[in-house]
Amino acid sequence: MVKYWLMKSEPSECSIDSLAHLPKKTIEWFGIRNYQARNFMRDEMKLGDLAFFWHSSCKEPGIYGIVEVSTEVHPETTQFDLESDYYDPASTAENPRWWCVDIRLFKKTRYVSIKELREYPELSDMQVLKRGNRLSITKLTKTEWEFINKLLLQ
DNA sequence: GCCAACGTTGGC
DNA sequence: GCCAACGTTGGC
C-alpha cells in the first residue's frame, strides 16, 4: 500500500532544480532533527511511497514536484560528520539516533502556491495548511493526493 | 523583519 | 514528571 506524503525543503538547501540536476536525481533526506518527522521515515515510509516536494522558508512557498522514496530507511549520515551542522555527538554507529530515506525526483510539476491550496475546501484538513504547522514531513490522504494531482494537470 | 506557534531543554 | 524559558520554524 503506497503512502502519500508532503516533504518540505528550503530551496537554499535543496531546491527542486538542484534535485533535478543530481546524477540520479536522488538525495539522502539528511538533516531532519525532529522526532515526529524521523519516526515517519523510520517507521512508516516504504520504498515507492510518493510525496509532494515543497519549498519552504522562501518567497514562493508551495508544491513544485513529486518525489518517490527510493531506499529503505537507513541511518542518516550527517549525524556522524564532525564537520556538519547536523553532527550529533550523542549518536553512535551502534545506536544511531537519526534515520532517513533517500528520495528521487519523479517529476517536476507546475507551481501550486500555498495561497491556491488554501482556496480548496477539499484540502482544508491538510496539515501543512494548518496554523502553526512546523512539521517538515506530513501525511496526505489518498483523496488529498488525488485532488492535488488533478490540480497539477491544470 | 515580525511574531505566533511549536519542540526541546533543564532545573526543580 | 512538571513547566518556564529558550530557540527555531516558516508564512506573512
Side-chain angles (χ1 to χ4, degrees), chain A residues 21-68:
Chain A
H21 287 109
L22 291 171
K24 292 179 178 169
K25 302 184 181 186
T26 301
I27 193 169
E28 178 186 33
W29 208 241
F30 67 94
I32 301 294
R33 294 295 180 267
N34 168 285
Y35 289 104
Q36 242 182 305
R38 178 205 67 179
N39 292 351
F40 280 153
M41 290 195 283
R42 190 189 59 184
D43 306 333
E44 297 197 45
M45 275 192 183
K46 296 288 174 223
L47 203 61
D49 277 5
L50 295 166
F52 291 122
F53 190 91
W54 180 281
H55 284 187
S56 69
S57 292
C58 60
K59 206 171 174 187
E60 294 178 307
I63 293 170
Y64 286 82
I66 297 175
V67 296
E68 62 182 336

Side-chain angles (χ1 to χ4, degrees), chain A residues 126-139:
Chain A
M126 261 179 77
Q127 208 173 346
V128 77
L129 300 181
K130 288 188 176 159
R131 183 179 169 79
N133 171 71
R134 289 170 39 181
L135 197 54
S136 66
I137 301 178
T138 50
K139 279 189 193 175

Side-chain angles (χ1 to χ4, degrees), chain A residues 13-14 31 38 40 67 74 88 109 130 133 146 150:
Chain A
E13 189 98 351
C14 177
R38 178 205 67 179
F40 280 153
V67 296
H74 55 81
D88 185 348
T109 64
K130 288 188 176 159
N133 171 71
E146 285 170 356
K150 278 185 200 150

Side-chain angles (χ1 to χ4, degrees), chain A residues 105-120:
Chain A
L105 181 63
F106 180 67
K107 64 173 177 181
K108 283 176 69 172
T109 64
R110 80 171 176 94
Y111 167 55
V112 185
S113 69
I114 187 167
K115 183 165 172 286
E116 180 182 346
L117 291 169
R118 287 195 199 284
E119 287 170 10
Y120 305 109

